[in-house]
Amino acid sequence: MRKLGQFIALVGALALGSGAAPVSASDKLYIYTENFPPYNMSATGRAFEHNGNEVDGICSEMVKAILDKSGLDHVIKLRNWDYGYKRALSKRNHGIFCTTYTEERAPNFKWVGPLTKNLWTIFAAPGTNLNIDKLEDTKGMLYGGYRNDVMTNYLLDRGYKVSEMESDDINPKRLELGQVDLWIADRLAGPYFASQQDVEGLEPVYSFNETELYLAMNPNTSDEIIEKLQEGLKAIKDNGMYQAIETKYGL
């Protein structure tokens, strides 16, 4: 019995020394997203959703499939981007999708993906005669953007003028009304988002910087949880579900 006790103590010490944190019943995941169609969106047209069943879109379907395969307890909620982003930054087992991976953001999260890609695009008002050959051509013009968005931060870091909102939902209308000169959005999501606000005819005048989108988890989330999520992603690629979701949305 003494030897058995010593063996158990040794195993416990090795586990603690390895830094591995086993997944327990308390390791419930809290996953946030925003209205960013067709990647993530409310299935009912509401600004917020408390139930993952009411959240739709390319990334949403992929993340739900990954979570189901992982077997991890979780909730998915739809909020504005700034709220969800700050929760994922500050709270263990909290995450946000679809999040653009950048070198600047890399140390702030543990990353699951990539899930899909997007292409940053500058939109102008209907009927524009604006010609843009490079991003620098827009220096001095006012962009519509929103707080903690990677595209907004990219512009601000390089000295561009951006009028930041709490969320992106009114920026298409602001552009249509001439309150901003340009709007930066995803090439695929921009027209979806504008149509939800009854704004038609916005013109893509310049695209750049294709990026990858991920599920970003708080860095204090255990490596075992991240491994389970990555295994879930591999599983839906292997069984064809990942490709079926892309096909469903025309990718």
Side-chain angles (χ1 to χ4, degrees), residues 8-154:
I8 292 172
L10 176 62
V11 170
L14 289 173
L16 289 172
S18 71
V23 178
S24 69
S26 64
D27 281 322
K28 187 172 185 176
L29 305 186
Y30 297 84
I31 310 297
Y32 293 88
T33 191
E34 63 166 342
N35 270 310
F36 187 62
Y39 297 100
N40 348 289
M41 52 193 169
S42 166
T44 65
R46 291 192 290 253
F48 302 117
E49 295 291 356
H50 304 282
N51 187 330
N53 293 330
E54 305 299 339
V55 181
D56 209 348
I58 301 166
C59 286
S60 300
E61 291 197 27
M62 288 180 177
V63 169
K64 286 192 278 188
I66 290 167
L67 288 164
D68 287 345
K69 285 292 182 183
S70 75
L72 296 166
D73 189 19
H74 64 274
V75 295
I76 295 176
K77 297 184 179 184
L78 188 143
R79 295 289 188 272
N80 69 48
W81 183 257
D82 192 52
Y83 178 88
Y85 190 81
K86 287 177 178 176
R87 301 281 287 189
L89 277 175
S90 61
K91 291 184 174 289
R92 178 176 175 268
N93 291 345
H94 285 57
I96 188 165
F97 69 90
C98 271
T99 310
T100 302
Y101 179 92
T102 66
E103 292 300 323
E104 293 80 11
R105 280 179 169 177
N108 297 331
F109 298 101
K110 291 181 178 179
W111 300 85
V112 179
L115 303 175
T116 188
K117 295 180 179 180
N118 70 349
L119 181 63
W120 298 5
T121 299
I122 297 168
F123 291 89
T128 184
N129 58 5
L130 184 64
N131 291 313
I132 298 175
D133 296 318
K134 56 186 183 300
L135 184 62
E136 289 77 8
D137 293 341
T138 67
K139 278 283 188 179
M141 303 181 75
L142 180 62
Y143 280 89
Y146 65 109
R147 292 184 182 90
N148 273 323
D149 171 58
V150 66
M151 292 178 280
T152 294
N153 289 342
Y154 181 93

Side-chain angles (χ1 to χ4, degrees), residues 29 62-63 65-67 69-72 101 109-115 213-217 222-238 242:
L29 305 186
M62 288 180 177
V63 169
I66 290 167
L67 288 164
K69 285 292 182 183
S70 75
L72 296 166
Y101 179 92
F109 298 101
K110 291 181 178 179
W111 300 85
V112 179
L115 303 175
L213 301 175
Y214 285 73
L215 165 62
M217 297 297 301
S222 74
D223 289 340
E224 185 176 355
I225 286 176
I226 303 302
E227 288 169 9
K228 284 182 177 291
L229 293 171
Q230 291 286 18
E231 289 168 3
L233 175 58
K234 183 179 185 302
I236 68 169
K237 287 186 173 182
D238 290 345
Y242 178 95

